[in-house]
Amino acid sequence: MTRHFLRDDDLSQSEQSAILDLALELKKDRFSTRPLAGPQTVAVIFDKSSTRTRVSFAVGIADLGGSPLIISTASSQLGGKESPSDTARVLERQVAAIVWRTYAQSGLEQMALNTTVPVINALSDEFHPCQLLADLLTIREHRGELSGLTVTFLGDGSSNMAQSYLLAGAVAGMHVRVASPVEFSPADAVVADADRAAQTTGGSVTLYTDPIEAVAGADIVVTDTWVSMGKEEEKAARLTTMSPYKVDSQLMSLAKPDALFLHCLPADRGYEVTADVIDGPQSVIWDEAENRLHAQKALMVWLLSR
């Protein structure tokens, strides 16, 4: 049975850990594993603009011996005339895997149901699971065992990053806190799924509206842009509503003294985070950005080996 990676809880705790172990190995020796030698081709489809996702997948596929085929939906039939299911059937005859950065999660699900090659969610409106693998890899590098650590996400709790933190953190056995305005809370179904995962791993999920309470004693503090792609018209309103959740040095001081700061980038310095925090000694954002490469390579190796 073909395995896909559409959301963070598509992996069990042991599977997630195995992929992170492999990512650490591949980071030490980038060219040690080449399952795409041939080269085999991986389709990397973009509905949205990208820097880190585009570069990390293109480089990673090449490192694994393959050839990345970068496709823009604006210039392909997937952009309107052809369904995800028909596109999947066409692509599976020619590529080893499909990576898609898109809007609706339902499109990814439809594609995965209609292909025999792995489908990877490179970002959707609901989840950003590849970024979470990179984040967890970064945390492991700096803090070791993930289980039992407390991670606090501040800002838009309904964002793909917040929802992926709930799922991936729960799968890892972490204590995940999400602090957001009530109107930007995570989806109830995602919270329920994360809570079920946490019950099996020893983790927990807690929602807050008070950022101070949420950050207190945290091992990791995370935020993301308040204005995601497609939400630009809401910028003025969001900046007002989200302002109490800005990560500044005062808020960061409430976490543990050695707490890490993460941000998936791009960042709006002065909005969701101040420059002294994101460019300060507790920030590990550049390790985090690099680790997209290693985590995604490990994910592809793992999926292809299934």
Side-chain angles (χ1 to χ4, degrees), residues 9-144:
D9 55 353
D10 283 341
L11 302 174
S12 67
Q13 186 178 28
S14 61
E15 290 170 341
Q16 182 193 76
S17 181
I19 289 170
L20 296 178
D21 287 342
L22 179 57
L24 289 171
E25 294 175 16
L26 293 176
K27 189 169 184 176
K28 292 177 183 176
D29 188 351
R30 279 180 54 175
F31 308 107
S32 59
T33 303
R34 295 173 67 80
L36 293 170
Q40 298 181 65
T41 299
V42 175
V44 189
I45 308 168
F46 290 94
D47 292 356
K48 297 184 177 185
S49 60
S50 169
T51 298
R52 279 153 294 279
T53 299
R54 184 183 298 265
V55 172
S56 58
F57 268 110
V59 173
I61 291 162
D63 282 0
L64 297 176
S67 176
L69 174 62
I70 307 298
I71 302 171
S72 168
T73 50
S75 58
S76 72
Q77 299 296 353
L78 185 57
K81 291 184 178 180
E82 192 163 54
S83 67
S85 58
D86 285 356
T87 300
R89 290 187 177 100
V90 171
L91 292 178
E92 73 174 3
R93 303 291 185 98
Q94 302 175 63
V95 304
I98 301 168
V99 179
W100 193 10
R101 181 180 177 95
T102 188
Y103 292 92
Q105 184 76 12
S106 59
L108 284 155
E109 293 168 355
Q110 185 180 358
M111 185 170 281
L113 284 171
N114 290 279
T115 186
T116 57
V117 299
V119 175
I120 297 172
N121 179 359
L123 176 145
S124 69
D125 287 343
E126 293 183 43
F127 306 107
H128 200 353
C130 287
Q131 180 65 58
L132 258 292
L133 286 179
D135 285 19
L136 295 181
L137 179 61
T138 306
I139 295 166
R140 268 190 52 168
E141 285 184 310
H142 288 269
R143 290 291 176 268

Side-chain angles (χ1 to χ4, degrees), residues 6 25 35 44 62-63 98 126 128 135 147 169 176 201 206 236 245 254 256 264 281 304:
L6 308 185
E25 294 175 16
V44 189
D63 282 0
I98 301 168
E126 293 183 43
H128 200 353
D135 285 19
S147 181
V176 186
T201 64
T206 312
Y245 301 88
L254 302 177
K256 288 184 178 177
C264 70
L304 290 166

Side-chain angles (χ1 to χ4, degrees), residues 252-263:
M252 195 71 190
S253 71
L254 302 177
K256 288 184 178 177
D258 63 346
L260 303 175
F261 174 78
L262 282 81
H263 190 306

Side-chain angles (χ1 to χ4, degrees), residues 201-280:
T201 64
S204 65
V205 296
T206 312
L207 304 186
Y208 295 82
T209 55
D210 183 353
I212 293 174
E213 185 180 0
V215 168
D219 297 288
I220 302 102
V221 178
V222 188
T223 192
D224 190 16
T225 179
W226 293 338
V227 186
S228 299
M229 285 180 282
K231 307 289 185 181
E232 289 80 8
E233 74 282 356
E234 302 174 13
K235 183 172 183 176
R238 281 172 171 258
L239 295 185
T240 300
T241 304
M242 300 285 185
S243 60
Y245 301 88
K246 177 189 293 185
V247 183
D248 56 18
S249 57
Q250 183 176 358
L251 189 59
M252 195 71 190
S253 71
L254 302 177
K256 288 184 178 177
D258 63 346
L260 303 175
F261 174 78
L262 282 81
H263 190 306
C264 70
L265 302 175
D268 290 324
R269 287 169 174 79
Y271 289 92
E272 74 270 10
V273 60
T274 55
D276 61 332
V277 171
I278 195 170
D279 299 319

